Amino acid sequence: KQWYQRRVAITAGDADYVIPECIQGITSTSHGPIIEQSFITVIGSTDTVTENQVVMCLLEKPFNFGKGAEEIRFICIVLCPIKGKHTKSAVEVARTYSTLLADDRLRHNLLDTHS
């Protein structure tokens, strides 16, 4: 499995929102790429945090974030300081968590966790 970065547009009621940068999993098949729709990793850099912050959420029911993100159960939010080390940038941290979430067994085990 691989992952890719993209923008996601969300419609909530009469308002439209855009997640400027996020990562989702993608699998290459003989019929073309398949987007992993069970998780999304949202990426952000800001000068209001002094160290990397990661939040993981498991939604009770799948949520439709729009085309290509219609059955999201796991949301990972990564916020990093703008002036941090490049090796620990928001994108690098998000890629690490996205790689973990791309594992079907891990997601299955997380769905079965009751704490």
Side-chain angles (χ1 to χ4, degrees):
K1 296 207 176 200
Q2 299 176 346
W3 42 261
Y4 76 107
Q5 289 176 244
R6 69 186 195 113
R7 289 179 175 257
V8 173
I10 303 169
T11 301
D14 294 334
D16 290 330
Y17 305 95
V18 174
I19 298 173
E21 196 169 11
C22 65
I23 295 177
Q24 281 184 273
I26 189 168
T27 303
S28 296
T29 69
S30 59
H31 302 290
I34 297 175
I35 298 171
E36 174 56 60
Q37 295 196 36
S38 65
F39 79 89
I40 191 168
T41 303
V42 179
I43 306 167
S45 295
T46 179
D47 57 2
T48 59
V49 296
T50 57
E51 58 186 36
N52 296 346
Q53 303 289 318
V54 178
V55 176
M56 298 278 296
C57 302
L58 170 58
L59 303 178
E60 187 176 334
K61 296 180 181 178
F63 186 81
N64 184 350
F65 276 92
K67 186 176 180 181
E70 296 155 0
E71 300 175 13
I72 300 297
R73 290 291 306 269
F74 296 94
I75 301 172
C76 179
I77 301 170
V78 176
L79 288 176
C80 295
I82 292 175
K83 297 180 182 180
K85 293 181 180 179
H86 179 68
T87 57
K88 295 183 181 179
S89 71
V91 172
E92 291 300 318
V93 173
R95 286 178 182 170
T96 300
Y97 279 90
S98 295
T99 299
L100 293 170
L101 287 170
D103 184 338
D104 294 333
R105 289 175 294 172
L106 175 64
R107 288 194 318 273
H108 177 76
N109 289 341
L110 291 171
L111 286 171
D112 286 343
T113 302
H114 303 285
S115 62

